[in-house]
Amino acid sequence: MASSDPVYLRVVDDLRRQIVNGSLAPGAVVPSRAQLTRRYGVGETAARHALRVLTTEGLIFGRVGSGHYVRERATLVPLHRSRFHDHHAPLAADLHSQGRRVSWVWRVERVRATPELADRLRLPEYAPIVRTRHIYRSNGKPVQLTWSYEPAELAEGQPVPAEGTDSRKSVVARMAAVGLNVTDIVETVRTRVPEPAEIDALDLCAGVHILHLERTHHAGSRPLETSDTVVPGDAFHLVYTLRP
Amino acid sequence: MASSDPVYLRVVDDLRRQIVNGSLAPGAVVPSRAQLTRRYGVGETAARHALRVLTTEGLIFGRVGSGHYVRERATLVPLHRSRFHDHHAPLAADLHSQGRRVSWVWRVERVRATPELADRLRLPEYAPIVRTRHIYRSNGKPVQLTWSYEPAELAEGQPVPAEGTDSRKSVVARMAAVGLNVTDIVETVRTRVPEPAEIDALDLCAGVHILHLERTHHAGSRPLETSDTVVPGDAFHLVYTLRP
DNA sequence: GGGCGCAAGTTGGAGCTCCAACTTTGACCC
DNA sequence: GGGTCAAAGTTGGAGCTCCAACTTGCGCCC
């Protein structure tokens, strides 16, 4: 019976139960503030609080003027992080293999290494580097943001491709072209709250976390390229294939 | 100057800015409700709302009777998911290699496969399986929860170890003992909101997401074991080493 | 039958208030 | 000096209200 102390939690717990057990199906309308106050005999504040909690939990969403609805959990799309290393746009290759179309734009800039980037690329601080920005879209919707960085000296010998949506070779291929062999790739994964700019760029709704991937290509112990990738946590899951 | 339309956002944005740029250092007290109403000339509701938003963002936390404080972001502890496959407690081995001590408890049960588990282990529904529960602690604090499942027929030939904190061999080693070679391990990573039981078991504070790892050991295409692991997203990041 | 417009319902922002439970601080007393 | 206690401040729960902006559905009129 465990009637949790705070009143609003009674409402939250009951609605959450209904959502997870399916009696409130995805797309269904959630009782409105007015209805909740009557049904549960609570005040406006508690009803409102309950709806807000469920919203930040990502279980429901509100449409002003209309009502709250149960979020449909789009089944997470797998990103195969152990594959497509030799592709110029791994995400596109991966999703394409699953029957999805992806478009992207990118641009290249010459900048100087921040302390953190200098550390990641094992360069002196303020060393010149080449920064590439990728924005991937699936059906027009932005799904992945990537910053990629490589030492300017390595980018030097390579053909500078036109910006925009043209093809560009993979890191592995580009490095091979200047005689460097990528021997291993180290990728770290974390989850965090998106920054305002990321919420904007990825068109995220309230409460959605992101997966932040930091990937570095090495030749032996020498870092050749490092990148930061951000994908919405409610749309993707990552797949790694490992050998014991 | 982009003074965001809603008043509370002005407060949120300003406080967030101060936190990320460091003028509100970790551990520092955040202005109280009363102070916010005066400083920003807003009402109680807006001040309260602003503090709640920053709390669910994980930037601050409130201590009743005392005040709100800037959360110190413990640097994320790396979990090396590509290593320690042959260790009976990969997490412990990993953290131990980083100079941390980890303790754990576990218990084994015989249950029947749910549809989802049957699918993951390629077994008929309701097939008998052996379920193992692990709870890992670091300095007494729970840091990882794992459910592990394997077909009962595979667990059969193996010695049943005493429950508790004793050692148990790794999946790879145990399977090798019955003549099965683990050829590859597939791991998926997603982030999500913790379930109430997980909040409880991991002692999570508001707004913290978790990383959910689903790992399956295969011999060829035959699944030998599958597991679900949950770690707090504000304490760990995952590290994968890949080869191109 | 089809289109228009209004009324009712809904969200989200914002304001105010009361209170229990707790921490902190400072003053006072021994 | 050290310990105790009360006052002040703080969070978090809960209640009520007003309002702008929006959606929706019903009824009415052409």
Side-chain angles (χ1 to χ4, degrees):
Chain A
M1 294 297 109
S3 67
S4 323
D5 228 3
V7 181
Y8 83 94
L9 269 188
R10 241 185 48 218
V11 185
V12 169
D13 286 344
D14 197 52
L15 290 177
R16 196 194 290 115
R17 196 182 44 73
Q18 290 182 50
I19 294 171
V20 301
N21 83 10
S23 59
L24 269 176
V29 287
V30 177
S32 71
R33 254 154 50 181
Q35 288 173 312
L36 289 179
T37 56
R38 271 173 291 159
R39 290 206 203 158
Y40 292 88
V42 300
E44 269 271 317
T45 315
R48 202 181 266 246
H49 194 0
L51 290 172
R52 198 197 318 263
V53 168
L54 291 172
T55 301
T56 61
E57 275 185 16
L59 287 174
I60 65 176
F61 65 94
R63 263 174 38 197
V64 26
S66 172
H68 281 97
Y69 301 85
V70 179
R71 274 262 292 276
E72 17 226 321
R73 272 198 244 300
T75 43
L76 301 182
V77 175
L79 292 184
H80 297 93
R81 303 295 296 174
S82 306
R83 309 215 298 247
F84 307 110
H85 291 312
D86 52 348
H87 198 283
H88 60 280
L91 176 82
D94 193 1
L95 295 191
H96 186 73
S97 76
Q98 300 173 46
R100 289 162 209 270
R101 282 253 195 80
V102 176
S103 67
W104 65 94
V105 295
W106 54 283
R107 67 161 193 275
V108 183
E109 297 161 297
R110 295 183 57 102
V111 294
R112 295 197 164 265
T114 61
E116 192 221 328
L117 282 173
D119 188 54
R120 281 165 62 177
L121 287 172
R122 288 246 220 110
L123 293 175
E125 241 172 83
Y126 307 115
I129 56 180
V130 170
R131 177 174 75 182
T132 309
R133 172 60 154 181
H134 279 264
I135 298 177
Y136 295 86
R137 284 166 213 275
S138 173
N139 304 327
K141 202 176 142 47
V143 292
Q144 179 178 313
L145 310 174
T146 299
W147 289 110
S148 159
Y149 310 89
E150 40 194 281
E153 73 214 37
L154 289 182
E156 224 76 299
Q158 303 176 5
V160 178
E163 305 205 349
T165 59
D166 282 4
S167 271
R168 198 195 185 199
K169 288 206 175 143
S170 73
V171 174
V172 175
R174 290 206 324 281
M175 292 302 161
V178 292
L180 289 164
N181 247 45
V182 174
T183 53
D184 61 79
I185 302 171
V186 176
E187 176 154 308
T188 75
V189 183
R190 56 169 149 283
T191 182
R192 60 172 173 81
V193 171
E195 294 164 12
E198 293 165 337
I199 294 179
D200 211 60
L202 289 172
D203 197 23
L204 300 177
C205 45
V208 173
H209 272 46
I210 50 122
L211 289 170
H212 180 150
L213 313 176
E214 189 182 310
R215 175 180 270 199
T216 304
H217 288 73
H218 295 268
S221 64
R222 180 186 181 191
L224 301 179
E225 187 256 12
T226 190
S227 65
D228 288 285
T229 294
V230 167
V231 297
D234 65 342
F236 294 100
H237 69 268
L238 314 173
V239 180
Y240 293 91
T241 305
L242 314 167
R243 266 144 306 185
Chain B
M1 294 300 108
S3 66
S4 322
D5 229 4
V7 182
Y8 84 94
L9 269 188
R10 240 184 49 218
V11 185
V12 170
D13 287 343
D14 197 51
L15 290 177
R16 197 194 290 112
R17 196 182 44 73
Q18 290 182 50
I19 293 170
V20 303
N21 83 11
S23 58
L24 269 176
V29 288
V30 177
S32 71
R33 254 153 53 181
Q35 289 173 313
L36 289 178
T37 56
R38 272 173 290 159
R39 290 207 203 157
Y40 292 88
V42 300
E44 269 270 318
T45 315
R48 204 179 267 245
H49 194 0
L51 290 172
R52 185 176 354 241
V53 168
L54 291 172
T55 301
T56 61
E57 276 185 17
L59 287 173
I60 65 176
F61 65 94
R63 264 174 38 197
V64 25
S66 172
H68 281 96
Y69 301 83
V70 179
R71 276 263 291 278
E72 17 225 321
R73 274 198 240 300
T75 42
L76 302 182
V77 175
L79 292 184
H80 297 93
R81 301 297 294 174
S82 305
R83 309 216 297 247
F84 307 108
H85 292 311
D86 53 349
H87 199 282
H88 60 278
L91 176 82
D94 194 359
L95 295 192
H96 186 74
S97 76
Q98 298 173 47
R100 289 164 209 270
R101 282 252 194 82
V102 177
S103 67
W104 65 96
V105 295
W106 55 282
R107 66 162 194 272
V108 183
E109 296 161 298
R110 294 182 60 102
V111 293
R112 296 196 164 267
T114 62
E116 193 222 327
L117 282 173
D119 188 55
R120 280 166 60 177
L121 287 172
R122 287 247 221 109
L123 292 175
E125 240 171 82
Y126 307 116
I129 56 179
V130 169
R131 176 174 76 183
T132 309
R133 172 61 153 180
H134 279 264
I135 299 178
Y136 295 86
R137 283 165 213 276
S138 175
N139 304 327
K141 202 177 141 47
V143 292
Q144 179 176 315
L145 309 175
T146 299
W147 289 111
S148 158
Y149 310 89
E150 41 193 281
E153 73 215 37
L154 288 182
E156 224 76 299
Q158 302 175 7
V160 177
E163 306 206 346
T165 59
D166 282 5
S167 270
R168 196 192 185 203
K169 288 204 175 146
S170 72
V171 174
V172 174
R174 289 205 324 279
M175 292 302 162
V178 292
L180 288 165
N181 246 45
V182 174
T183 54
D184 60 80
I185 302 171
V186 176
E187 175 153 309
T188 75
V189 182
R190 57 169 148 282
T191 181
R192 59 172 173 79
V193 171
E195 293 165 13
E198 294 165 337
I199 294 178
D200 212 59
L202 289 172
D203 196 22
L204 301 177
C205 45
V208 173
H209 273 45
I210 49 121
L211 288 170
H212 179 149
L213 313 176
E214 189 182 311
R215 173 181 272 198
T216 303
H217 289 74
H218 295 268
S221 64
R222 180 185 182 194
L224 301 179
E225 187 257 12
T226 190
S227 65
D228 288 286
T229 295
V230 167
V231 295
D234 66 341
F236 294 100
H237 69 269
L238 314 173
V239 180
Y240 293 91
T241 306
L242 314 168
R243 267 144 306 185

mmCIF file of all heavy atoms in Angstrom, chain A residues 6-8 43-46 48 63-65, chain D residues 13-19 21-24:
data_model
loop_
_atom_site.group_PDB
_atom_site.id
_atom_site.type_symbol
_atom_site.label_atom_id
_atom_site.label_comp_id
_atom_site.label_asym_id
_atom_site.label_seq_id
_atom_site.Cartn_x
_atom_site.Cartn_y
_atom_site.Cartn_z
ATOM 1 N N PRO A 6 4.747 12.271 0.072
ATOM 2 C CA PRO A 6 4.229 13.418 -0.665
ATOM 3 C C PRO A 6 3.048 13.015 -1.547
ATOM 4 O O PRO A 6 3.075 11.965 -2.185
ATOM 5 C CB PRO A 6 5.413 13.872 -1.527
ATOM 6 C CG PRO A 6 6.605 13.186 -0.960
ATOM 7 C CD PRO A 6 6.105 11.935 -0.350
ATOM 8 N N VAL A 7 2.052 13.868 -1.582
ATOM 9 C CA VAL A 7 0.832 13.576 -2.325
ATOM 10 C C VAL A 7 1.096 13.437 -3.821
ATOM 11 O O VAL A 7 0.582 12.537 -4.481
ATOM 12 C CB VAL A 7 -0.206 14.703 -2.101
ATOM 13 C CG1 VAL A 7 -1.485 14.391 -2.853
ATOM 14 C CG2 VAL A 7 -0.476 14.880 -0.625
ATOM 15 N N TYR A 8 1.935 14.328 -4.344
ATOM 16 C CA TYR A 8 2.135 14.322 -5.799
ATOM 17 C C TYR A 8 2.762 13.015 -6.265
ATOM 18 O O TYR A 8 2.541 12.571 -7.381
ATOM 19 C CB TYR A 8 2.999 15.517 -6.220
ATOM 20 C CG TYR A 8 4.480 15.314 -6.077
ATOM 21 C CD1 TYR A 8 5.233 14.877 -7.155
ATOM 22 C CD2 TYR A 8 5.137 15.548 -4.870
ATOM 23 C CE1 TYR A 8 6.599 14.686 -7.041
ATOM 24 C CE2 TYR A 8 6.490 15.353 -4.748
ATOM 25 C CZ TYR A 8 7.220 14.926 -5.830
ATOM 26 O OH TYR A 8 8.572 14.732 -5.720
ATOM 27 N N GLY A 43 -4.535 19.012 -4.890
ATOM 28 C CA GLY A 43 -4.629 20.391 -5.355
ATOM 29 C C GLY A 43 -4.012 20.564 -6.723
ATOM 30 O O GLY A 43 -3.374 19.659 -7.258
ATOM 31 N N GLU A 44 -4.231 21.731 -7.287
ATOM 32 C CA GLU A 44 -3.629 22.097 -8.568
ATOM 33 C C GLU A 44 -2.123 21.875 -8.556
ATOM 34 O O GLU A 44 -1.555 21.286 -9.468
ATOM 35 C CB GLU A 44 -3.870 23.589 -8.839
ATOM 36 C CG GLU A 44 -5.117 23.891 -9.600
ATOM 37 C CD GLU A 44 -4.809 23.865 -11.084
ATOM 38 O OE1 GLU A 44 -3.752 24.402 -11.501
ATOM 39 O OE2 GLU A 44 -5.623 23.276 -11.817
ATOM 40 N N THR A 45 -1.480 22.367 -7.509
ATOM 41 C CA THR A 45 -0.024 22.328 -7.440
ATOM 42 C C THR A 45 0.503 20.899 -7.551
ATOM 43 O O THR A 45 1.460 20.640 -8.283
ATOM 44 C CB THR A 45 0.464 22.949 -6.120
ATOM 45 O OG1 THR A 45 -0.265 24.151 -5.902
ATOM 46 C CG2 THR A 45 1.931 23.249 -6.176
ATOM 47 N N ALA A 46 -0.143 20.000 -6.818
ATOM 48 C CA ALA A 46 0.322 18.606 -6.839
ATOM 49 C C ALA A 46 0.119 17.991 -8.220
ATOM 50 O O ALA A 46 1.004 17.308 -8.739
ATOM 51 C CB ALA A 46 -0.419 17.793 -5.786
ATOM 52 N N ARG A 48 -0.082 19.493 -11.104
ATOM 53 C CA ARG A 48 0.881 20.131 -11.984
ATOM 54 C C ARG A 48 2.273 19.567 -11.792
ATOM 55 O O ARG A 48 2.970 19.234 -12.743
ATOM 56 C CB ARG A 48 0.890 21.603 -11.577
ATOM 57 C CG ARG A 48 1.359 22.560 -12.576
ATOM 58 C CD ARG A 48 1.294 23.907 -11.930
ATOM 59 N NE ARG A 48 0.041 24.586 -12.213
ATOM 60 C CZ ARG A 48 -0.002 25.688 -12.947
ATOM 61 N NH1 ARG A 48 1.096 26.187 -13.447
ATOM 62 N NH2 ARG A 48 -1.143 26.273 -13.181
ATOM 63 N N ARG A 63 1.239 19.360 -24.864
ATOM 64 C CA ARG A 63 1.042 20.258 -26.008
ATOM 65 C C ARG A 63 0.102 21.338 -25.545
ATOM 66 O O ARG A 63 -1.067 21.050 -25.235
ATOM 67 C CB ARG A 63 0.457 19.492 -27.201
ATOM 68 C CG ARG A 63 1.527 19.054 -28.185
ATOM 69 C CD ARG A 63 0.990 18.189 -29.287
ATOM 70 N NE ARG A 63 -0.336 18.594 -29.768
ATOM 71 C CZ ARG A 63 -1.140 17.831 -30.484
ATOM 72 N NH1 ARG A 63 -0.757 16.602 -30.775
ATOM 73 N NH2 ARG A 63 -2.313 18.263 -30.884
ATOM 74 N N VAL A 64 0.635 22.567 -25.498
ATOM 75 C CA VAL A 64 -0.158 23.644 -24.914
ATOM 76 C C VAL A 64 -1.467 23.811 -25.675
ATOM 77 O O VAL A 64 -1.502 23.804 -26.892
ATOM 78 C CB VAL A 64 0.654 24.959 -24.825
ATOM 79 C CG1 VAL A 64 1.729 25.012 -25.867
ATOM 80 C CG2 VAL A 64 -0.251 26.159 -24.916
ATOM 81 N N GLY A 65 -2.542 23.929 -24.903
ATOM 82 C CA GLY A 65 -3.869 24.089 -25.483
ATOM 83 C C GLY A 65 -4.548 22.779 -25.743
ATOM 84 O O GLY A 65 -5.763 22.725 -25.941
ATOM 85 P P DG D 13 9.259 17.877 -2.613
ATOM 86 O OP1 DG D 13 9.595 16.452 -2.736
ATOM 87 O OP2 DG D 13 9.332 18.777 -3.784
ATOM 88 O "O5'" DG D 13 7.788 17.986 -2.006
ATOM 89 C "C5'" DG D 13 7.531 17.424 -0.729
ATOM 90 C "C4'" DG D 13 6.267 18.019 -0.167
ATOM 91 O "O4'" DG D 13 6.477 19.406 0.147
ATOM 92 C "C3'" DG D 13 5.073 17.966 -1.125
ATOM 93 O "O3'" DG D 13 4.026 17.275 -0.481
ATOM 94 C "C2'" DG D 13 4.725 19.436 -1.383
ATOM 95 C "C1'" DG D 13 5.294 20.113 -0.141
ATOM 96 N N9 DG D 13 5.650 21.517 -0.337
ATOM 97 C C8 DG D 13 6.589 22.011 -1.201
ATOM 98 N N7 DG D 13 6.697 23.318 -1.150
ATOM 99 C C5 DG D 13 5.769 23.700 -0.192
ATOM 100 C C6 DG D 13 5.434 24.992 0.286
ATOM 101 O O6 DG D 13 5.900 26.070 -0.049
ATOM 102 N N1 DG D 13 4.432 24.936 1.253
ATOM 103 C C2 DG D 13 3.845 23.774 1.706
ATOM 104 N N2 DG D 13 2.902 23.910 2.639
ATOM 105 N N3 DG D 13 4.147 22.571 1.264
ATOM 106 C C4 DG D 13 5.116 22.610 0.317
ATOM 107 P P DA D 14 2.806 16.793 -1.377
ATOM 108 O OP1 DA D 14 2.170 15.684 -0.631
ATOM 109 O OP2 DA D 14 3.231 16.620 -2.770
ATOM 110 O "O5'" DA D 14 1.838 18.044 -1.317
ATOM 111 C "C5'" DA D 14 1.313 18.441 -0.065
ATOM 112 C "C4'" DA D 14 0.596 19.759 -0.217
ATOM 113 O "O4'" DA D 14 1.541 20.837 -0.334
ATOM 114 C "C3'" DA D 14 -0.286 19.873 -1.455
ATOM 115 O "O3'" DA D 14 -1.638 19.639 -1.072
ATOM 116 C "C2'" DA D 14 -0.091 21.313 -1.919
ATOM 117 C "C1'" DA D 14 0.840 21.913 -0.891
ATOM 118 N N9 DA D 14 1.811 22.843 -1.457
ATOM 119 C C8 DA D 14 2.835 22.560 -2.320
ATOM 120 N N7 DA D 14 3.548 23.606 -2.668
ATOM 121 C C5 DA D 14 2.939 24.652 -1.991
ATOM 122 C C6 DA D 14 3.207 26.028 -1.942
ATOM 123 N N6 DA D 14 4.201 26.607 -2.605
ATOM 124 N N1 DA D 14 2.400 26.793 -1.170
ATOM 125 C C2 DA D 14 1.405 26.209 -0.497
ATOM 126 N N3 DA D 14 1.059 24.933 -0.473
ATOM 127 C C4 DA D 14 1.872 24.195 -1.243
ATOM 128 P P DG D 15 -2.744 19.678 -2.177
ATOM 129 O OP1 DG D 15 -3.770 18.747 -1.692
ATOM 130 O OP2 DG D 15 -2.161 19.529 -3.514
ATOM 131 O "O5'" DG D 15 -3.321 21.162 -2.063
ATOM 132 C "C5'" DG D 15 -3.631 21.681 -0.794
ATOM 133 C "C4'" DG D 15 -3.931 23.165 -0.902
ATOM 134 O "O4'" DG D 15 -2.678 23.885 -1.016
ATOM 135 C "C3'" DG D 15 -4.705 23.527 -2.165
ATOM 136 O "O3'" DG D 15 -6.079 23.723 -1.872
ATOM 137 C "C2'" DG D 15 -4.106 24.866 -2.607
ATOM 138 C "C1'" DG D 15 -2.927 25.075 -1.724
ATOM 139 N N9 DG D 15 -1.741 25.379 -2.529
ATOM 140 C C8 DG D 15 -0.977 24.513 -3.267
ATOM 141 N N7 DG D 15 0.006 25.095 -3.895
ATOM 142 C C5 DG D 15 -0.122 26.428 -3.548
ATOM 143 C C6 DG D 15 0.660 27.540 -3.929
ATOM 144 O O6 DG D 15 1.647 27.574 -4.673
ATOM 145 N N1 DG D 15 0.174 28.723 -3.367
ATOM 146 C C2 DG D 15 -0.907 28.806 -2.533
ATOM 147 N N2 DG D 15 -1.231 30.013 -2.094
ATOM 148 N N3 DG D 15 -1.633 27.781 -2.164
ATOM 149 C C4 DG D 15 -1.190 26.624 -2.714
ATOM 150 P P DC D 16 -7.096 23.924 -3.078
ATOM 151 O OP1 DC D 16 -8.449 23.747 -2.509
ATOM 152 O OP2 DC D 16 -6.627 23.105 -4.206
ATOM 153 O "O5'" DC D 16 -6.932 25.452 -3.501
ATOM 154 C "C5'" DC D 16 -7.194 26.464 -2.551
ATOM 155 C "C4'" DC D 16 -6.874 27.826 -3.152
ATOM 156 O "O4'" DC D 16 -5.452 27.914 -3.363
ATOM 157 C "C3'" DC D 16 -7.512 28.096 -4.518
ATOM 158 O "O3'" DC D 16 -8.501 29.104 -4.404
ATOM 159 C "C2'" DC D 16 -6.373 28.576 -5.399
ATOM 160 C "C1'" DC D 16 -5.217 28.794 -4.438
ATOM 161 N N1 DC D 16 -3.933 28.425 -5.109
ATOM 162 C C2 DC D 16 -3.060 29.442 -5.492
ATOM 163 O O2 DC D 16 -3.354 30.611 -5.245
ATOM 164 N N3 DC D 16 -1.910 29.116 -6.127
ATOM 165 C C4 DC D 16 -1.626 27.839 -6.383
ATOM 166 N N4 DC D 16 -0.487 27.554 -6.994
ATOM 167 C C5 DC D 16 -2.513 26.784 -5.986
ATOM 168 C C6 DC D 16 -3.642 27.118 -5.357
ATOM 169 P P DT D 17 -9.461 29.425 -5.644
ATOM 170 O OP1 DT D 17 -10.647 30.099 -5.057
ATOM 171 O OP2 DT D 17 -9.610 28.229 -6.501
ATOM 172 O "O5'" DT D 17 -8.635 30.521 -6.460
ATOM 173 C "C5'" DT D 17 -8.045 31.618 -5.761
ATOM 174 C "C4'" DT D 17 -7.256 32.463 -6.744
ATOM 175 O "O4'" DT D 17 -5.972 31.831 -7.017
ATOM 176 C "C3'" DT D 17 -7.934 32.652 -8.106
ATOM 177 O "O3'" DT D 17 -8.302 34.016 -8.246
ATOM 178 C "C2'" DT D 17 -6.890 32.224 -9.133
ATOM 179 C "C1'" DT D 17 -5.599 32.155 -8.325
ATOM 180 N N1 DT D 17 -4.671 31.091 -8.805
ATOM 181 C C2 DT D 17 -3.445 31.447 -9.293
ATOM 182 O O2 DT D 17 -3.070 32.605 -9.348
ATOM 183 N N3 DT D 17 -2.664 30.417 -9.724
ATOM 184 C C4 DT D 17 -2.979 29.070 -9.721
ATOM 185 O O4 DT D 17 -2.188 28.232 -10.145
ATOM 186 C C5 DT D 17 -4.275 28.752 -9.208
ATOM 187 C C7 DT D 17 -4.730 27.334 -9.154
ATOM 188 C C6 DT D 17 -5.062 29.766 -8.780
ATOM 189 P P DC D 18 -9.280 34.440 -9.433
ATOM 190 O OP1 DC D 18 -10.055 35.588 -8.928
ATOM 191 O OP2 DC D 18 -9.937 33.255 -10.020
ATOM 192 O "O5'" DC D 18 -8.238 35.008 -10.511
ATOM 193 C "C5'" DC D 18 -7.273 35.973 -10.107
ATOM 194 C "C4'" DC D 18 -6.332 36.262 -11.257
ATOM 195 O "O4'" DC D 18 -5.347 35.200 -11.327
ATOM 196 C "C3'" DC D 18 -7.015 36.325 -12.621
ATOM 197 O "O3'" DC D 18 -6.681 37.534 -13.261
ATOM 198 C "C2'" DC D 18 -6.478 35.104 -13.365
ATOM 199 C "C1'" DC D 18 -5.133 34.854 -12.673
ATOM 200 N N1 DC D 18 -4.718 33.428 -12.726
ATOM 201 C C2 DC D 18 -3.441 33.099 -13.202
ATOM 202 O O2 DC D 18 -2.670 33.998 -13.556
ATOM 203 N N3 DC D 18 -3.078 31.790 -13.276
ATOM 204 C C4 DC D 18 -3.934 30.852 -12.886
ATOM 205 N N4 DC D 18 -3.537 29.578 -12.961
ATOM 206 C C5 DC D 18 -5.229 31.163 -12.386
ATOM 207 C C6 DC D 18 -5.581 32.450 -12.326
ATOM 208 P P DC D 19 -7.354 37.906 -14.655
ATOM 209 O OP1 DC D 19 -7.385 39.382 -14.693
ATOM 210 O OP2 DC D 19 -8.590 37.105 -14.839
ATOM 211 O "O5'" DC D 19 -6.277 37.414 -15.714
ATOM 212 C "C5'" DC D 19 -4.920 37.815 -15.559
ATOM 213 C "C4'" DC D 19 -4.090 37.182 -16.638
ATOM 214 O "O4'" DC D 19 -3.788 35.802 -16.284
ATOM 215 C "C3'" DC D 19 -4.776 37.117 -18.013
ATOM 216 O "O3'" DC D 19 -3.889 37.600 -18.986
ATOM 217 C "C2'" DC D 19 -5.072 35.646 -18.210
ATOM 218 C "C1'" DC D 19 -3.931 34.995 -17.427
ATOM 219 N N1 DC D 19 -4.212 33.606 -17.000
ATOM 220 C C2 DC D 19 -3.283 32.593 -17.302
ATOM 221 O O2 DC D 19 -2.248 32.892 -17.904
ATOM 222 N N3 DC D 19 -3.556 31.326 -16.929
ATOM 223 C C4 DC D 19 -4.679 31.046 -16.279
ATOM 224 N N4 DC D 19 -4.898 29.773 -15.932
ATOM 225 C C5 DC D 19 -5.634 32.055 -15.958
ATOM 226 C C6 DC D 19 -5.367 33.313 -16.332
ATOM 227 P P DA D 21 -0.810 36.424 -25.795
ATOM 228 O OP1 DA D 21 0.419 37.115 -26.214
ATOM 229 O OP2 DA D 21 -2.159 36.947 -26.136
ATOM 230 O "O5'" DA D 21 -0.735 34.924 -26.319
ATOM 231 C "C5'" DA D 21 0.278 34.067 -25.803
ATOM 232 C "C4'" DA D 21 -0.070 32.648 -26.159
ATOM 233 O "O4'" DA D 21 -1.069 32.146 -25.235
ATOM 234 C "C3'" DA D 21 -0.674 32.494 -27.555
ATOM 235 O "O3'" DA D 21 0.024 31.461 -28.213
ATOM 236 C "C2'" DA D 21 -2.130 32.123 -27.290
ATOM 237 C "C1'" DA D 21 -2.017 31.396 -25.957
ATOM 238 N N9 DA D 21 -3.239 31.345 -25.161
ATOM 239 C C8 DA D 21 -4.124 32.345 -24.900
ATOM 240 N N7 DA D 21 -5.136 31.978 -24.138
ATOM 241 C C5 DA D 21 -4.889 30.647 -23.886
ATOM 242 C C6 DA D 21 -5.590 29.680 -23.136
ATOM 243 N N6 DA D 21 -6.728 29.936 -22.485
ATOM 244 N N1 DA D 21 -5.070 28.440 -23.080
ATOM 245 C C2 DA D 21 -3.930 28.192 -23.737
ATOM 246 N N3 DA D 21 -3.174 29.020 -24.475
ATOM 247 C C4 DA D 21 -3.722 30.239 -24.509
ATOM 248 P P DC D 22 -0.119 31.333 -29.803
ATOM 249 O OP1 DC D 22 1.246 31.190 -30.348
ATOM 250 O OP2 DC D 22 -1.049 32.364 -30.322
ATOM 251 O "O5'" DC D 22 -0.854 29.930 -29.917
ATOM 252 C "C5'" DC D 22 -0.308 28.826 -29.184
ATOM 253 C "C4'" DC D 22 -1.404 27.851 -28.859
ATOM 254 O "O4'" DC D 22 -2.347 28.426 -27.951
ATOM 255 C "C3'" DC D 22 -2.248 27.426 -30.057
ATOM 256 O "O3'" DC D 22 -1.749 26.185 -30.539
ATOM 257 C "C2'" DC D 22 -3.654 27.251 -29.469
ATOM 258 C "C1'" DC D 22 -3.497 27.611 -28.007
ATOM 259 N N1 DC D 22 -4.655 28.344 -27.436
ATOM 260 C C2 DC D 22 -5.555 27.642 -26.622
ATOM 261 O O2 DC D 22 -5.353 26.448 -26.411
ATOM 262 N N3 DC D 22 -6.628 28.299 -26.103
ATOM 263 C C4 DC D 22 -6.800 29.591 -26.359
ATOM 264 N N4 DC D 22 -7.853 30.185 -25.802
ATOM 265 C C5 DC D 22 -5.888 30.332 -27.176
ATOM 266 C C6 DC D 22 -4.846 29.679 -27.702
ATOM 267 P P DT D 23 -2.504 25.445 -31.793
ATOM 268 O OP1 DT D 23 -1.535 24.539 -32.428
ATOM 269 O OP2 DT D 23 -3.194 26.500 -32.564
ATOM 270 O "O5'" DT D 23 -3.599 24.555 -31.078
ATOM 271 C "C5'" DT D 23 -3.178 23.551 -30.162
ATOM 272 C "C4'" DT D 23 -4.374 22.705 -29.761
ATOM 273 O "O4'" DT D 23 -5.336 23.514 -29.044
ATOM 274 C "C3'" DT D 23 -5.126 22.043 -30.903
ATOM 275 O "O3'" DT D 23 -5.443 20.737 -30.474
ATOM 276 C "C2'" DT D 23 -6.356 22.928 -31.063
ATOM 277 C "C1'" DT D 23 -6.605 23.385 -29.637
ATOM 278 N N1 DT D 23 -7.257 24.706 -29.445
ATOM 279 C C2 DT D 23 -8.330 24.803 -28.592
ATOM 280 O O2 DT D 23 -8.801 23.861 -28.003
ATOM 281 N N3 DT D 23 -8.836 26.073 -28.459
ATOM 282 C C4 DT D 23 -8.375 27.224 -29.069
ATOM 283 O O4 DT D 23 -8.904 28.311 -28.866
ATOM 284 C C5 DT D 23 -7.248 27.056 -29.951
ATOM 285 C C7 DT D 23 -6.665 28.236 -30.667
ATOM 286 C C6 DT D 23 -6.742 25.819 -30.095
ATOM 287 P P DT D 24 -5.938 19.643 -31.498
ATOM 288 O OP1 DT D 24 -5.250 18.367 -31.207
ATOM 289 O OP2 DT D 24 -5.901 20.220 -32.855
ATOM 290 O "O5'" DT D 24 -7.453 19.506 -31.053
ATOM 291 C "C5'" DT D 24 -7.783 19.718 -29.679
ATOM 292 C "C4'" DT D 24 -9.293 19.647 -29.513
ATOM 293 O "O4'" DT D 24 -9.806 20.985 -29.331
ATOM 294 C "C3'" DT D 24 -10.062 19.053 -30.695
ATOM 295 O "O3'" DT D 24 -11.119 18.283 -30.190
ATOM 296 C "C2'" DT D 24 -10.554 20.276 -31.430
ATOM 297 C "C1'" DT D 24 -10.839 21.216 -30.261
ATOM 298 N N1 DT D 24 -10.820 22.662 -30.593
ATOM 299 C C2 DT D 24 -11.611 23.538 -29.870
ATOM 300 O O2 DT D 24 -12.337 23.175 -28.974
ATOM 301 N N3 DT D 24 -11.508 24.853 -30.242
ATOM 302 C C4 DT D 24 -10.711 25.385 -31.246
ATOM 303 O O4 DT D 24 -10.696 26.577 -31.477
ATOM 304 C C5 DT D 24 -9.913 24.410 -31.963
ATOM 305 C C7 DT D 24 -9.012 24.875 -33.076
ATOM 306 C C6 DT D 24 -9.995 23.118 -31.610
#
